[in-house]
Amino acid sequence: MDPIQTVEVALYQVPLKKAVSDAKVLTGRQRPLAHVDLLTATIETVNGARGFGFSYSLRAGGSALLAHAKDLAGALVGEDPNDIGRLWEKLAWLGASVSRTGVSVQSIAAFDVALWDLKAKSADVSIGKLLGAYRESVPCYNTSGGYLNASTSEVLANVDRSLELGLGGIKLKVGQPELKKDIERVAAVRKHVGDDVPMMVDANQQWDVTTALRAGRMLDPFNLVWLEEPTNAYDYRGHAQLKAKLDTPIATGEMLSSVAECGELIRHDSVTFLQPDVPRVGGITPFLKIANSADLNRLKLAPHFVMEIHIHLGCAYPHEAWVEHIEWLEPAFNERLEIKGGQMFLPQRPGLGFSLSEEAARWRVA
């Protein structure tokens, strides 16, 4: 492949149709989420081949992602885009004095995804196929309809819409000040959908280990696929204790931003479902290292958010994998994922399979 000639980065604020709130909002730690900051990277080679990638942040941090990406972009010019691993290290070391986690790697993620997009396009296959797909589709579940700002009746209506769209599972937010309300909400949805529809709940780190254990025991009878982020994201030992004592499988990992941090979850036997996030850990390159460790320990995989990227990684994972359906970024792209019969299907388009829509231009902030 010819060397890289130009690199462009941009920031968009993609609005949500309605602001959403989880347990962190109810406790005053965060404000309702009204938009997603979308950092994009477009890499073009001398012969005109183009790769597109993106990263994101929620509530704050978008301007920091853009600033760091601008600092790094010029370092890719003249490089061989095939050398994705080496280029990831080059960019990481350039920003090593500020960090090799967080904003630093989340900026790198946009470039990394763009390089994988470019590589897969040159082979005329999807990224999932390039990585050696094990399957053409994975089970998917909806999260966006189960936030705590919605009443129980609204959640039930959202559940019906999700199932009509062909989604296979439903995830509910929990972690309200009164645990009794969480249990009533979960019970209402379970009764509404019956015993056969997969359900998950997500506490968004709301509880300490003692409260999480009490809540988990009350949730065990509902036959949940998993209990997500029951306690602090960095409490590897606490999650391990909950995994050992509860019938419901434990899932976490979305807030972690390095291979090493995700490795601690594996080392402590903290999870049944590992939930790394490609943009947050720095791109597809580090995600593959995490997935390899998870594979060796025969963990299940349920990557967080950005289904447009994670469908490729879910299909390329050897064991059970779920992809989270959150439609917030759909207006920014021209393409849509195929969903039917409870499954999300790997795009047949080359590369990532997504391009920015004309509507996205209205949301460009820098």
Side-chain angles (χ1 to χ4, degrees), residues 197-219:
V197 173
M199 281 178 55
M200 306 82 166
V201 298
D202 183 359
N204 288 108
Q205 307 178 70
Q206 179 66 14
W207 300 318
D208 58 29
V209 174
T210 301
T211 305
L213 182 59
R214 183 179 298 117
R217 285 173 173 160
M218 295 174 72
L219 290 166

mmCIF file with all atom_site columns, all heavy atoms in Angstrom, residues 197-219:
data_model
loop_
_atom_site.group_PDB
_atom_site.id
_atom_site.type_symbol
_atom_site.label_atom_id
_atom_site.label_alt_id
_atom_site.label_comp_id
_atom_site.label_asym_id
_atom_site.label_entity_id
_atom_site.label_seq_id
_atom_site.pdbx_PDB_ins_code
_atom_site.Cartn_x
_atom_site.Cartn_y
_atom_site.Cartn_z
_atom_site.occupancy
_atom_site.B_iso_or_equiv
_atom_site.pdbx_formal_charge
_atom_site.auth_seq_id
_atom_site.auth_comp_id
_atom_site.auth_asym_id
_atom_site.auth_atom_id
_atom_site.pdbx_PDB_model_num
ATOM 1   N N   . VAL A 1 197 ? -37.254 -14.131 26.978 1.00 0.00 ? 197 VAL A N   1
ATOM 2   C CA  . VAL A 1 197 ? -36.519 -12.985 26.433 1.00 0.00 ? 197 VAL A CA  1
ATOM 3   C C   . VAL A 1 197 ? -35.316 -12.688 27.333 1.00 0.00 ? 197 VAL A C   1
ATOM 4   O O   . VAL A 1 197 ? -35.481 -12.481 28.536 1.00 0.00 ? 197 VAL A O   1
ATOM 5   C CB  . VAL A 1 197 ? -37.423 -11.737 26.329 1.00 0.00 ? 197 VAL A CB  1
ATOM 6   C CG1 . VAL A 1 197 ? -36.593 -10.511 25.918 1.00 0.00 ? 197 VAL A CG1 1
ATOM 7   C CG2 . VAL A 1 197 ? -38.547 -11.979 25.333 1.00 0.00 ? 197 VAL A CG2 1
ATOM 8   N N   . PRO A 1 198 ? -34.113 -12.672 26.785 1.00 0.00 ? 198 PRO A N   1
ATOM 9   C CA  . PRO A 1 198 ? -32.928 -12.365 27.603 1.00 0.00 ? 198 PRO A CA  1
ATOM 10  C C   . PRO A 1 198 ? -33.008 -10.953 28.184 1.00 0.00 ? 198 PRO A C   1
ATOM 11  O O   . PRO A 1 198 ? -33.357 -10.000 27.490 1.00 0.00 ? 198 PRO A O   1
ATOM 12  C CB  . PRO A 1 198 ? -31.769 -12.481 26.604 1.00 0.00 ? 198 PRO A CB  1
ATOM 13  C CG  . PRO A 1 198 ? -32.285 -13.348 25.504 1.00 0.00 ? 198 PRO A CG  1
ATOM 14  C CD  . PRO A 1 198 ? -33.746 -13.023 25.394 1.00 0.00 ? 198 PRO A CD  1
ATOM 15  N N   . MET A 1 199 ? -32.684 -10.845 29.481 1.00 0.00 ? 199 MET A N   1
ATOM 16  C CA  . MET A 1 199 ? -32.675 -9.552  30.163 1.00 0.00 ? 199 MET A CA  1
ATOM 17  C C   . MET A 1 199 ? -31.369 -9.362  30.909 1.00 0.00 ? 199 MET A C   1
ATOM 18  O O   . MET A 1 199 ? -30.808 -10.310 31.465 1.00 0.00 ? 199 MET A O   1
ATOM 19  C CB  . MET A 1 199 ? -33.841 -9.455  31.158 1.00 0.00 ? 199 MET A CB  1
ATOM 20  C CG  . MET A 1 199 ? -35.183 -9.140  30.532 1.00 0.00 ? 199 MET A CG  1
ATOM 21  S SD  . MET A 1 199 ? -36.524 -9.103  31.771 1.00 0.00 ? 199 MET A SD  1
ATOM 22  C CE  . MET A 1 199 ? -35.895 -7.911  32.949 1.00 0.00 ? 199 MET A CE  1
ATOM 23  N N   . MET A 1 200 ? -30.885 -8.125  30.923 1.00 0.00 ? 200 MET A N   1
ATOM 24  C CA  . MET A 1 200 ? -29.703 -7.737  31.674 1.00 0.00 ? 200 MET A CA  1
ATOM 25  C C   . MET A 1 200 ? -30.050 -6.508  32.503 1.00 0.00 ? 200 MET A C   1
ATOM 26  O O   . MET A 1 200 ? -30.997 -5.780  32.189 1.00 0.00 ? 200 MET A O   1
ATOM 27  C CB  . MET A 1 200 ? -28.535 -7.365  30.742 1.00 0.00 ? 200 MET A CB  1
ATOM 28  C CG  . MET A 1 200 ? -28.164 -8.406  29.708 1.00 0.00 ? 200 MET A CG  1
ATOM 29  S SD  . MET A 1 200 ? -29.229 -8.353  28.248 1.00 0.00 ? 200 MET A SD  1
ATOM 30  C CE  . MET A 1 200 ? -28.278 -9.363  27.107 1.00 0.00 ? 200 MET A CE  1
ATOM 31  N N   . VAL A 1 201 ? -29.303 -6.257  33.577 1.00 0.00 ? 201 VAL A N   1
ATOM 32  C CA  . VAL A 1 201 ? -29.449 -5.006  34.326 1.00 0.00 ? 201 VAL A CA  1
ATOM 33  C C   . VAL A 1 201 ? -28.076 -4.382  34.521 1.00 0.00 ? 201 VAL A C   1
ATOM 34  O O   . VAL A 1 201 ? -27.061 -5.078  34.574 1.00 0.00 ? 201 VAL A O   1
ATOM 35  C CB  . VAL A 1 201 ? -30.145 -5.204  35.690 1.00 0.00 ? 201 VAL A CB  1
ATOM 36  C CG1 . VAL A 1 201 ? -31.558 -5.743  35.514 1.00 0.00 ? 201 VAL A CG1 1
ATOM 37  C CG2 . VAL A 1 201 ? -29.339 -6.105  36.607 1.00 0.00 ? 201 VAL A CG2 1
ATOM 38  N N   . ASP A 1 202 ? -28.058 -3.045  34.628 1.00 0.00 ? 202 ASP A N   1
ATOM 39  C CA  . ASP A 1 202 ? -26.814 -2.277  34.704 1.00 0.00 ? 202 ASP A CA  1
ATOM 40  C C   . ASP A 1 202 ? -26.928 -1.251  35.818 1.00 0.00 ? 202 ASP A C   1
ATOM 41  O O   . ASP A 1 202 ? -27.757 -0.339  35.753 1.00 0.00 ? 202 ASP A O   1
ATOM 42  C CB  . ASP A 1 202 ? -26.589 -1.586  33.354 1.00 0.00 ? 202 ASP A CB  1
ATOM 43  C CG  . ASP A 1 202 ? -25.290 -0.809  33.288 1.00 0.00 ? 202 ASP A CG  1
ATOM 44  O OD1 . ASP A 1 202 ? -24.547 -0.783  34.286 1.00 0.00 ? 202 ASP A OD1 1
ATOM 45  O OD2 . ASP A 1 202 ? -25.017 -0.224  32.221 1.00 0.00 ? 202 ASP A OD2 1
ATOM 46  N N   . ALA A 1 203 ? -26.070 -1.385  36.844 1.00 0.00 ? 203 ALA A N   1
ATOM 47  C CA  . ALA A 1 203 ? -26.100 -0.478  37.993 1.00 0.00 ? 203 ALA A CA  1
ATOM 48  C C   . ALA A 1 203 ? -25.168 0.713   37.830 1.00 0.00 ? 203 ALA A C   1
ATOM 49  O O   . ALA A 1 203 ? -25.161 1.609   38.685 1.00 0.00 ? 203 ALA A O   1
ATOM 50  C CB  . ALA A 1 203 ? -25.744 -1.237  39.276 1.00 0.00 ? 203 ALA A CB  1
ATOM 51  N N   . ASN A 1 204 ? -24.352 0.740   36.778 1.00 0.00 ? 204 ASN A N   1
ATOM 52  C CA  . ASN A 1 204 ? -23.444 1.868   36.525 1.00 0.00 ? 204 ASN A CA  1
ATOM 53  C C   . ASN A 1 204 ? -22.627 2.257   37.756 1.00 0.00 ? 204 ASN A C   1
ATOM 54  O O   . ASN A 1 204 ? -22.534 3.430   38.121 1.00 0.00 ? 204 ASN A O   1
ATOM 55  C CB  . ASN A 1 204 ? -24.213 3.072   36.008 1.00 0.00 ? 204 ASN A CB  1
ATOM 56  C CG  . ASN A 1 204 ? -24.696 2.877   34.575 1.00 0.00 ? 204 ASN A CG  1
ATOM 57  O OD1 . ASN A 1 204 ? -25.895 2.700   34.350 1.00 0.00 ? 204 ASN A OD1 1
ATOM 58  N ND2 . ASN A 1 204 ? -23.788 2.882   33.614 1.00 0.00 ? 204 ASN A ND2 1
ATOM 59  N N   . GLN A 1 205 ? -22.062 1.244   38.437 1.00 0.00 ? 205 GLN A N   1
ATOM 60  C CA  . GLN A 1 205 ? -21.140 1.426   39.566 1.00 0.00 ? 205 GLN A CA  1
ATOM 61  C C   . GLN A 1 205 ? -21.809 2.055   40.789 1.00 0.00 ? 205 GLN A C   1
ATOM 62  O O   . GLN A 1 205 ? -21.137 2.640   41.634 1.00 0.00 ? 205 GLN A O   1
ATOM 63  C CB  . GLN A 1 205 ? -19.949 2.310   39.167 1.00 0.00 ? 205 GLN A CB  1
ATOM 64  C CG  . GLN A 1 205 ? -19.207 1.873   37.925 1.00 0.00 ? 205 GLN A CG  1
ATOM 65  C CD  . GLN A 1 205 ? -18.095 2.827   37.592 1.00 0.00 ? 205 GLN A CD  1
ATOM 66  O OE1 . GLN A 1 205 ? -17.070 2.914   38.293 1.00 0.00 ? 205 GLN A OE1 1
ATOM 67  N NE2 . GLN A 1 205 ? -18.265 3.588   36.526 1.00 0.00 ? 205 GLN A NE2 1
ATOM 68  N N   . GLN A 1 206 ? -23.113 1.929   40.905 1.00 0.00 ? 206 GLN A N   1
ATOM 69  C CA  . GLN A 1 206 ? -23.846 2.665   41.930 1.00 0.00 ? 206 GLN A CA  1
ATOM 70  C C   . GLN A 1 206 ? -23.627 2.120   43.343 1.00 0.00 ? 206 GLN A C   1
ATOM 71  O O   . GLN A 1 206 ? -23.670 2.873   44.310 1.00 0.00 ? 206 GLN A O   1
ATOM 72  C CB  . GLN A 1 206 ? -25.339 2.638   41.600 1.00 0.00 ? 206 GLN A CB  1
ATOM 73  C CG  . GLN A 1 206 ? -26.231 3.345   42.608 1.00 0.00 ? 206 GLN A CG  1
ATOM 74  C CD  . GLN A 1 206 ? -25.996 4.833   42.648 1.00 0.00 ? 206 GLN A CD  1
ATOM 75  O OE1 . GLN A 1 206 ? -25.366 5.387   41.757 1.00 0.00 ? 206 GLN A OE1 1
ATOM 76  N NE2 . GLN A 1 206 ? -26.472 5.497   43.683 1.00 0.00 ? 206 GLN A NE2 1
ATOM 77  N N   . TRP A 1 207 ? -23.386 0.816   43.487 1.00 0.00 ? 207 TRP A N   1
ATOM 78  C CA  . TRP A 1 207 ? -23.419 0.203   44.810 1.00 0.00 ? 207 TRP A CA  1
ATOM 79  C C   . TRP A 1 207 ? -22.030 -0.101  45.357 1.00 0.00 ? 207 TRP A C   1
ATOM 80  O O   . TRP A 1 207 ? -21.081 -0.302  44.589 1.00 0.00 ? 207 TRP A O   1
ATOM 81  C CB  . TRP A 1 207 ? -24.205 -1.123  44.735 1.00 0.00 ? 207 TRP A CB  1
ATOM 82  C CG  . TRP A 1 207 ? -25.617 -0.986  44.275 1.00 0.00 ? 207 TRP A CG  1
ATOM 83  C CD1 . TRP A 1 207 ? -26.525 -0.024  44.639 1.00 0.00 ? 207 TRP A CD1 1
ATOM 84  C CD2 . TRP A 1 207 ? -26.313 -1.859  43.357 1.00 0.00 ? 207 TRP A CD2 1
ATOM 85  N NE1 . TRP A 1 207 ? -27.736 -0.239  44.017 1.00 0.00 ? 207 TRP A NE1 1
ATOM 86  C CE2 . TRP A 1 207 ? -27.633 -1.359  43.225 1.00 0.00 ? 207 TRP A CE2 1
ATOM 87  C CE3 . TRP A 1 207 ? -25.953 -3.001  42.654 1.00 0.00 ? 207 TRP A CE3 1
ATOM 88  C CZ2 . TRP A 1 207 ? -28.590 -1.961  42.417 1.00 0.00 ? 207 TRP A CZ2 1
ATOM 89  C CZ3 . TRP A 1 207 ? -26.907 -3.607  41.842 1.00 0.00 ? 207 TRP A CZ3 1
ATOM 90  C CH2 . TRP A 1 207 ? -28.201 -3.098  41.729 1.00 0.00 ? 207 TRP A CH2 1
ATOM 91  N N   . ASP A 1 208 ? -21.917 -0.166  46.677 1.00 0.00 ? 208 ASP A N   1
ATOM 92  C CA  . ASP A 1 208 ? -20.736 -0.788  47.274 1.00 0.00 ? 208 ASP A CA  1
ATOM 93  C C   . ASP A 1 208 ? -20.947 -2.302  47.234 1.00 0.00 ? 208 ASP A C   1
ATOM 94  O O   . ASP A 1 208 ? -22.019 -2.783  46.847 1.00 0.00 ? 208 ASP A O   1
ATOM 95  C CB  . ASP A 1 208 ? -20.496 -0.283  48.702 1.00 0.00 ? 208 ASP A CB  1
ATOM 96  C CG  . ASP A 1 208 ? -21.681 -0.515  49.638 1.00 0.00 ? 208 ASP A CG  1
ATOM 97  O OD1 . ASP A 1 208 ? -22.439 -1.488  49.442 1.00 0.00 ? 208 ASP A OD1 1
ATOM 98  O OD2 . ASP A 1 208 ? -21.856 0.282   50.576 1.00 0.00 ? 208 ASP A OD2 1
ATOM 99  N N   . VAL A 1 209 ? -19.931 -3.054  47.628 1.00 0.00 ? 209 VAL A N   1
ATOM 100 C CA  . VAL A 1 209 ? -20.014 -4.510  47.473 1.00 0.00 ? 209 VAL A CA  1
ATOM 101 C C   . VAL A 1 209 ? -21.134 -5.103  48.320 1.00 0.00 ? 209 VAL A C   1
ATOM 102 O O   . VAL A 1 209 ? -21.860 -6.006  47.879 1.00 0.00 ? 209 VAL A O   1
ATOM 103 C CB  . VAL A 1 209 ? -18.656 -5.162  47.815 1.00 0.00 ? 209 VAL A CB  1
ATOM 104 C CG1 . VAL A 1 209 ? -18.766 -6.682  47.800 1.00 0.00 ? 209 VAL A CG1 1
ATOM 105 C CG2 . VAL A 1 209 ? -17.584 -4.715  46.820 1.00 0.00 ? 209 VAL A CG2 1
ATOM 106 N N   . THR A 1 210 ? -21.319 -4.604  49.533 1.00 0.00 ? 210 THR A N   1
ATOM 107 C CA  . THR A 1 210 ? -22.365 -5.131  50.417 1.00 0.00 ? 210 THR A CA  1
ATOM 108 C C   . THR A 1 210 ? -23.752 -4.918  49.819 1.00 0.00 ? 210 THR A C   1
ATOM 109 O O   . THR A 1 210 ? -24.582 -5.831  49.777 1.00 0.00 ? 210 THR A O   1
ATOM 110 C CB  . THR A 1 210 ? -22.282 -4.455  51.801 1.00 0.00 ? 210 THR A CB  1
ATOM 111 O OG1 . THR A 1 210 ? -20.996 -4.699  52.375 1.00 0.00 ? 210 THR A OG1 1
ATOM 112 C CG2 . THR A 1 210 ? -23.358 -5.000  52.732 1.00 0.00 ? 210 THR A CG2 1
ATOM 113 N N   . THR A 1 211 ? -23.994 -3.694  49.336 1.00 0.00 ? 211 THR A N   1
ATOM 114 C CA  . THR A 1 211 ? -25.289 -3.395  48.726 1.00 0.00 ? 211 THR A CA  1
ATOM 115 C C   . THR A 1 211 ? -25.477 -4.197  47.440 1.00 0.00 ? 211 THR A C   1
ATOM 116 O O   . THR A 1 211 ? -26.570 -4.695  47.151 1.00 0.00 ? 211 THR A O   1
ATOM 117 C CB  . THR A 1 211 ? -25.402 -1.890  48.429 1.00 0.00 ? 211 THR A CB  1
ATOM 118 O OG1 . THR A 1 211 ? -25.157 -1.153  49.623 1.00 0.00 ? 211 THR A OG1 1
ATOM 119 C CG2 . THR A 1 211 ? -26.785 -1.546  47.881 1.00 0.00 ? 211 THR A CG2 1
ATOM 120 N N   . ALA A 1 212 ? -24.401 -4.314  46.664 1.00 0.00 ? 212 ALA A N   1
ATOM 121 C CA  . ALA A 1 212 ? -24.478 -5.071  45.410 1.00 0.00 ? 212 ALA A CA  1
ATOM 122 C C   . ALA A 1 212 ? -24.804 -6.533  45.669 1.00 0.00 ? 212 ALA A C   1
ATOM 123 O O   . ALA A 1 212 ? -25.553 -7.150  44.907 1.00 0.00 ? 212 ALA A O   1
ATOM 124 C CB  . ALA A 1 212 ? -23.160 -4.954  44.655 1.00 0.00 ? 212 ALA A CB  1
ATOM 125 N N   . LEU A 1 213 ? -24.245 -7.088  46.749 1.00 0.00 ? 213 LEU A N   1
ATOM 126 C CA  . LEU A 1 213 ? -24.536 -8.479  47.079 1.00 0.00 ? 213 LEU A CA  1
ATOM 127 C C   . LEU A 1 213 ? -26.004 -8.638  47.468 1.00 0.00 ? 213 LEU A C   1
ATOM 128 O O   . LEU A 1 213 ? -26.680 -9.586  47.028 1.00 0.00 ? 213 LEU A O   1
ATOM 129 C CB  . LEU A 1 213 ? -23.628 -8.941  48.222 1.00 0.00 ? 213 LEU A CB  1
ATOM 130 C CG  . LEU A 1 213 ? -23.774 -10.404 48.654 1.00 0.00 ? 213 LEU A CG  1
ATOM 131 C CD1 . LEU A 1 213 ? -23.480 -11.344 47.489 1.00 0.00 ? 213 LEU A CD1 1
ATOM 132 C CD2 . LEU A 1 213 ? -22.833 -10.703 49.822 1.00 0.00 ? 213 LEU A CD2 1
ATOM 133 N N   . ARG A 1 214 ? -26.498 -7.697  48.262 1.00 0.00 ? 214 ARG A N   1
ATOM 134 C CA  . ARG A 1 214 ? -27.907 -7.746  48.652 1.00 0.00 ? 214 ARG A CA  1
ATOM 135 C C   . ARG A 1 214 ? -28.805 -7.599  47.418 1.00 0.00 ? 214 ARG A C   1
ATOM 136 O O   . ARG A 1 214 ? -29.772 -8.356  47.243 1.00 0.00 ? 214 ARG A O   1
ATOM 137 C CB  . ARG A 1 214 ? -28.194 -6.635  49.660 1.00 0.00 ? 214 ARG A CB  1
ATOM 138 C CG  . ARG A 1 214 ? -29.622 -6.635  50.194 1.00 0.00 ? 214 ARG A CG  1
ATOM 139 C CD  . ARG A 1 214 ? -29.845 -5.522  51.215 1.00 0.00 ? 214 ARG A CD  1
ATOM 140 N NE  . ARG A 1 214 ? -28.986 -5.699  52.367 1.00 0.00 ? 214 ARG A NE  1
ATOM 141 C CZ  . ARG A 1 214 ? -28.030 -4.830  52.728 1.00 0.00 ? 214 ARG A CZ  1
ATOM 142 N NH1 . ARG A 1 214 ? -27.817 -3.751  51.994 1.00 0.00 ? 214 ARG A NH1 1
ATOM 143 N NH2 . ARG A 1 214 ? -27.305 -5.036  53.802 1.00 0.00 ? 214 ARG A NH2 1
ATOM 144 N N   . ALA A 1 215 ? -28.494 -6.634  46.571 1.00 0.00 ? 215 ALA A N   1
ATOM 145 C CA  . ALA A 1 215 ? -29.290 -6.409  45.374 1.00 0.00 ? 215 ALA A CA  1
ATOM 146 C C   . ALA A 1 215 ? -29.202 -7.607  44.426 1.00 0.00 ? 215 ALA A C   1
ATOM 147 O O   . ALA A 1 215 ? -30.211 -8.040  43.848 1.00 0.00 ? 215 ALA A O   1
ATOM 148 C CB  . ALA A 1 215 ? -28.811 -5.147  44.664 1.00 0.00 ? 215 ALA A CB  1
ATOM 149 N N   . GLY A 1 216 ? -28.001 -8.149  44.279 1.00 0.00 ? 216 GLY A N   1
ATOM 150 C CA  . GLY A 1 216 ? -27.808 -9.288  43.389 1.00 0.00 ? 216 GLY A CA  1
ATOM 151 C C   . GLY A 1 216 ? -28.620 -10.493 43.810 1.00 0.00 ? 216 GLY A C   1
ATOM 152 O O   . GLY A 1 216 ? -29.175 -11.207 42.949 1.00 0.00 ? 216 GLY A O   1
ATOM 153 N N   . ARG A 1 217 ? -28.714 -10.726 45.100 1.00 0.00 ? 217 ARG A N   1
ATOM 154 C CA  . ARG A 1 217 ? -29.503 -11.860 45.585 1.00 0.00 ? 217 ARG A CA  1
ATOM 155 C C   . ARG A 1 217 ? -30.995 -11.657 45.323 1.00 0.00 ? 217 ARG A C   1
ATOM 156 O O   . ARG A 1 217 ? -31.733 -12.618 45.073 1.00 0.00 ? 217 ARG A O   1
ATOM 157 C CB  . ARG A 1 217 ? -29.227 -12.080 47.069 1.00 0.00 ? 217 ARG A CB  1
ATOM 158 C CG  . ARG A 1 217 ? -27.862 -12.727 47.302 1.00 0.00 ? 217 ARG A CG  1
ATOM 159 C CD  . ARG A 1 217 ? -27.486 -12.807 48.756 1.00 0.00 ? 217 ARG A CD  1
ATOM 160 N NE  . ARG A 1 217 ? -26.258 -13.592 48.919 1.00 0.00 ? 217 ARG A NE  1
ATOM 161 C CZ  . ARG A 1 217 ? -25.473 -13.537 49.992 1.00 0.00 ? 217 ARG A CZ  1
ATOM 162 N NH1 . ARG A 1 217 ? -25.795 -12.730 51.012 1.00 0.00 ? 217 ARG A NH1 1
ATOM 163 N NH2 . ARG A 1 217 ? -24.385 -14.267 50.079 1.00 0.00 ? 217 ARG A NH2 1
ATOM 164 N N   . MET A 1 218 ? -31.430 -10.394 45.364 1.00 0.00 ? 218 MET A N   1
ATOM 165 C CA  . MET A 1 218 ? -32.827 -10.107 45.055 1.00 0.00 ? 218 MET A CA  1
ATOM 166 C C   . MET A 1 218 ? -33.099 -10.214 43.555 1.00 0.00 ? 218 MET A C   1
ATOM 167 O O   . MET A 1 218 ? -34.220 -10.484 43.133 1.00 0.00 ? 218 MET A O   1
ATOM 168 C CB  . MET A 1 218 ? -33.185 -8.713  45.563 1.00 0.00 ? 218 MET A CB  1
ATOM 169 C CG  . MET A 1 218 ? -33.114 -8.580  47.083 1.00 0.00 ? 218 MET A CG  1
ATOM 170 S SD  . MET A 1 218 ? -33.366 -6.882  47.659 1.00 0.00 ? 218 MET A SD  1
ATOM 171 C CE  . MET A 1 218 ? -35.113 -6.690  47.364 1.00 0.00 ? 218 MET A CE  1
ATOM 172 N N   . LEU A 1 219 ? -32.059 -10.019 42.739 1.00 0.00 ? 219 LEU A N   1
ATOM 173 C CA  . LEU A 1 219 ? -32.202 -10.088 41.292 1.00 0.00 ? 219 LEU A CA  1
ATOM 174 C C   . LEU A 1 219 ? -32.013 -11.502 40.738 1.00 0.00 ? 219 LEU A C   1
ATOM 175 O O   . LEU A 1 219 ? -32.457 -11.799 39.623 1.00 0.00 ? 219 LEU A O   1
ATOM 176 C CB  . LEU A 1 219 ? -31.188 -9.148  40.626 1.00 0.00 ? 219 LEU A CB  1
ATOM 177 C CG  . LEU A 1 219 ? -31.449 -7.650  40.796 1.00 0.00 ? 219 LEU A CG  1
ATOM 178 C CD1 . LEU A 1 219 ? -30.215 -6.841  40.411 1.00 0.00 ? 219 LEU A CD1 1
ATOM 179 C CD2 . LEU A 1 219 ? -32.650 -7.213  39.966 1.00 0.00 ? 219 LEU A CD2 1
#
